[in-house]
Amino acid sequence: MTITITAFERSPDRGRGLARDMRIRWALEEVGQPYEVRLVSFKAMKEPAHLALQPFGQIPTYEEGDLTLFESGAIVLHIAERHGGLLPDETNARARAISWMFAALNTVEPPVFDHSLARILERDQPWYEQRLRALEESIRKRLDSLSAHLGDADWLDGAFSAGDLLMVSVLLRLKSSNILDEYPNLAAYVARAEARPAYQRAFAAQLAVFQAASAG
Ligand code: GTB
């Protein structure tokens, strides 16, 4: 059955792979599932046809036969559960990998996302510097713990899993700041994940969308 996901018609990140369709593309590449992409404009995202797929009017969505999903974490979990390669078979190891998926989205992503949003949207506010410093402290608190847990290991819990895929997807948002460089093992962890062929293919695919839109 054909898998169709949605992505920005023109991503505001200019092809840097920071929008959340990237994690879905990456997961599908890791498990070797072909997929199609329907590009949507900001206007189309708020119209009934898209709201029927994504109640909050956002990307990404996932359609496969009569199944429609939204929320990138739920989509990655669905892909990981249906196909081999992103979750361990052993029950406890699988549950731990899922814990890391939630940790990425619920514990690490909020301050990281707020930080990148502040850098884009709040620069003109009189309290901008103060807010930025506070968000950086929140991020460091999380990265201190994550770095301590990872130590010298390649991945968070044994083999590469959907937990690593989501964690790296979140950490990649920090690349334009210097924060990640304060944690050499986390910077190496991100680089290791980016070197994966599946990541490279997913990145190239989303970049091609931006390049085509810019050429047109
Ligand atoms: N919790 C949802 C999920 O995980 O699927 C959040 C989805 C979401 O935030 N989607 C964003 C969106 O559709 C795109 S990814 N926004 C449009 C809207 O809300 O109207 C977030 C994003 C946006 C822009 C950049 N960027 O420019 O760098 C990066 C990431």
Side-chain angles (χ1 to χ4, degrees):
M1 213 150 343
T2 306
I3 294 171
T4 304
I5 67 169
T6 50
F8 282 133
E9 184 177 70
R10 193 177 278 266
S11 181
D13 74 357
R14 306 179 60 81
R16 285 187 297 145
L18 299 177
R20 288 183 172 101
D21 58 295
M22 176 62 199
R23 51 188 70 166
I24 313 303
R25 294 173 184 271
W26 185 8
L28 288 166
E29 292 288 354
E30 288 284 351
V31 302
Q33 280 297 303
Y35 61 98
E36 292 180 358
V37 183
R38 190 169 61 253
L39 301 175
V40 285
S41 65
F42 277 93
K43 181 170 173 287
M45 258 183 261
K46 308 301 174 197
E47 288 170 356
H50 188 78
L51 289 170
L53 307 176
Q54 217 290 7
F56 304 103
Q58 298 182 310
I59 58 99
T61 59
Y62 175 102
E63 291 157 82
E64 185 180 14
D66 56 9
L67 174 67
T68 298
L69 293 174
F70 65 101
E71 280 299 328
S72 58
I75 298 170
V76 171
L77 180 58
H78 171 78
I79 295 166
E81 282 182 328
R82 293 298 183 284
H83 309 280
L86 282 175
L87 284 175
D89 290 334
E90 198 272 317
T91 310
N92 288 352
R94 196 175 179 92
R96 288 196 304 274
I98 294 171
S99 295
W100 280 114
M101 295 178 69
F102 278 82
L105 302 180
N106 287 351
T107 305
V108 182
E109 186 161 50
V112 170
F113 192 74
D114 287 351
H115 180 258
S116 55
L117 223 54
R119 291 179 75 200
I120 299 168
L121 300 178
E122 295 170 355
R123 273 185 187 278
D124 296 338
Q125 300 297 334
W127 35 260
Y128 173 68
E129 286 301 332
Q130 208 179 346
R131 165 131 170 101
L132 207 65
R133 296 292 90 80
L135 286 168
E136 283 169 3
E137 278 321 295
S138 304
I139 292 170
R140 284 194 184 93
K141 202 167 143 196
R142 296 307 182 212
L143 297 193
D144 285 349
S145 307
L146 189 64
S147 173
H149 172 85
L150 183 67
D152 293 333
D154 280 356
W155 308 115
L156 289 168
D157 190 340
F160 177 84
S161 78
D164 296 295
L165 186 151
L166 288 179
M167 191 63 80
V168 169
S169 299
V170 169
L171 296 180
L172 278 164
R173 294 190 71 84
L174 292 172
K175 264 182 111 178
S176 59
S177 76
N178 296 324
I179 303 179
L180 207 52
D181 300 334
E182 296 169 25
Y183 301 87
N185 69 335
L186 294 182
Y189 170 62
V190 169
R192 203 158 31 246
E194 284 180 293
R196 293 177 73 82
Y199 176 90
Q200 298 284 325
R201 288 193 296 273
F203 186 87
Q206 65 77 40
L207 179 60
V209 172
F210 176 73
Q211 287 169 337
S214 307

